[in-house]
Amino acid sequence: MKIPFVDLRLQYHNIKQEVDAAMSSVMEDTAFIGGKYVKEFERAFAEKYDVNYCLGVANGTDAIYITLKTLGIGQGDEVITVANSWISTSETISQTGATPIFVDINPETYTIDVDKISEKITSKTKAIIPVHLYGQAAEVSKIKKIADDNGISIIEDCAQSHFSEENKKRVGTTGIAGTFSFYPGKNLGAYGDAGCIISNDSEFITNARMYANHGALKKHEHKIEGLNSRLDGLQAAVLSVKLNHILNWTDSRIKNAALYTEMLKGVEQIETPLIRKNTKHTFHLYVIRTTERDSLKQYLEEQGIQTAIHYPTALPNLKAYEYLGLKPNDYAVASKYQNEILSLPLYPELEKDQIVYICQSIKSFFK
Ligand SMILES: *Cc1c(COP(=O)(O)O)cnc(C)c1O
């Protein structure tokens, strides 16, 4: 059996008629940039999230950067974020001129350790970017309390957590903004790069829209210098089609994750993912942990099973952050886990017999 880490072709074939028709309409209408397909997606996404505004942008990285810039964050400021994430979360902080301040991860949930946030807050702290990693909701209600007490903004990085929830509230709706990536492999994925920002704050979203469009709300009226960061019509049309399926796909991810966890029960050498109480974990990734990670990965590869690592180097340990002079021991959990985590294939279309095969392979490795 050969099992790829992700299989986007399968999903495309399941919705081919709808997607082909949608893309064809965009081309017939030549609505490539701006226009009704982008407006329609922004409206539909905001409605699904029950928020006032959604702004389509070019990708999930820009979504964070635009949000930071719109909040006026820059040189001399500090922004707190988490030690294990994709580099977009921290590089956008640096790009504004601010300094990323990393917090270690919680050993059970793998998201930001809320008990270690307060000690990192200084007079320079302007914002905090929790990441709802792998689909697991970070502890947003606790983070909100800390942020409110200290007068700092929350930007939720939801690139891996479309439709995840904490206490029945969707992640991305607590802070000033929720930022999303629609990179093809994400739970809601376009057929190219795409992203968005959601918010309930009208002034914030107006300024973000302006910044993302060369600093202009009306053509040629540039109030500031900005960016060219647009969601394009073709991507918006694909996303609108997929938005009708996302909740079903999410259910399938959750079921597949449950099957893994059930089947891997009793394998002492591995930790399966914990689903934090009162949350909906949407399983962008199914991440197990074992001290024999590298040899297990190799073994599974030989069995035809593709796996991945998210992420092999915790952010503070990357060469890119050498200049901050941080020590791996200051991020002890993230530094340990970077050598132990392994992401197994997980997508809505994954079949039960494939999961069974993967779990049997894992068991035979440890035998
Ligand atoms: C994918 C991802 C991003 C960036 O999204 P792009 O659309 O690739 O720019 C940001 N943060 C996290 C946690 C991600 O996984």
Side-chain angles (χ1 to χ4, degrees), residues 31-89:
F32 300 119
I33 299 289
K36 67 176 179 184
Y37 297 94
V38 174
K39 274 210 185 79
E40 170 51 24
F41 174 72
E42 289 180 341
R43 189 203 59 74
F45 196 79
E47 187 181 291
K48 264 229 156 49
Y49 262 85
D50 198 17
V51 291
N52 294 340
Y53 308 102
C54 168
L55 166 65
V57 296
N59 55 66
T61 309
D62 279 7
I64 304 169
Y65 180 71
I66 291 162
T67 299
L68 289 164
K69 291 293 285 186
T70 303
L71 294 175
I73 287 161
Q75 199 134 41
D77 296 334
E78 293 178 351
V79 177
I80 292 173
T81 192
V82 61
N84 185 29
S85 183
W86 175 239
I87 193 167
S88 300
T89 318

Side-chain angles (χ1 to χ4, degrees), residues 88-215:
S88 300
T89 318
S90 50
E91 72 184 346
T92 47
I93 297 169
S94 311
Q95 279 155 6
T96 67
T99 305
I101 304 294
F102 296 106
V103 172
D104 204 1
I105 57 171
N106 176 300
E108 292 196 328
T109 63
Y110 305 20
T111 55
I112 192 165
D113 188 336
V114 288
D115 295 331
K116 293 183 179 157
I117 294 173
S118 295
E119 65 198 57
K120 299 281 173 111
I121 293 176
T122 71
S123 57
K124 295 177 178 170
T125 311
K126 291 286 150 52
I128 176 164
I129 311 183
V131 181
H132 306 293
L133 200 71
Y134 309 153
Q136 172 97 278
E139 296 180 62
V140 243
S141 52
K142 282 191 189 163
I143 293 169
K144 178 153 172 51
K145 183 149 192 332
I146 299 170
D148 287 351
D149 288 349
N150 291 278
I152 62 183
S153 306
I154 304 171
I155 302 160
E156 296 178 68
D157 183 344
C158 306
Q160 299 191 7
S161 58
H162 310 76
F163 301 95
S164 299
E165 297 172 4
E166 181 192 60
N167 302 324
K168 302 254 183 262
K169 184 173 166 62
R170 291 216 162 112
V171 302
T173 61
T174 295
I176 178 75
T179 64
F180 291 80
S181 167
F182 303 123
Y183 178 83
K186 298 288 160 82
N187 284 18
L188 181 61
Y191 288 171
D193 276 313
C196 83
I197 303 168
I198 60 171
S199 181
N200 281 316
D201 188 308
S202 123
E203 188 185 340
F204 166 80
I205 215 80
T206 302
N207 289 332
R209 193 176 283 283
M210 178 167 78
Y211 186 70
N213 183 43
H214 302 288

